[in-house]
Amino acid sequence: GIAHIDLSADLSTIPPADQILALAQVVCTLTSLPGIGQVQFARATRPIEIPRAEGSLTNEPVARSD
């Protein structure tokens, strides 16, 4: 399944490197739960772009490998 997380605009007040770590921690935590394989991040229900491990941005659901 996919966990849908709606983020506050306050996330942008955190330094970019810390944002990456925070998003990665959320993905790792949620995907450790049974039935959740991906996480979709949004703001006001609209998907937002987040960084992937190789440096690209995506607004698609992400998994631990991303």
Side-chain angles (χ1 to χ4, degrees):
I2 300 173
H4 296 271
I5 305 299
D6 199 60
L7 297 172
S8 142
D10 293 337
L11 181 69
S12 62
T13 64
I14 300 171
D18 292 339
Q19 289 179 33
I20 293 168
L21 292 174
L23 294 172
Q25 184 61 54
V26 169
V27 172
C28 286
T29 299
L30 291 175
T31 57
S32 71
L33 298 172
I36 298 177
Q38 293 181 304
V39 180
Q40 172 73 67
F41 291 99
R43 183 169 295 127
T45 69
R46 299 184 75 192
I48 60 169
E49 289 189 327
I50 62 165
R52 296 177 68 176
E54 86 286 341
S56 68
L57 295 174
T58 184
N59 64 357
E60 298 293 320
V62 293
R64 279 181 179 231
S65 59
D66 294 306

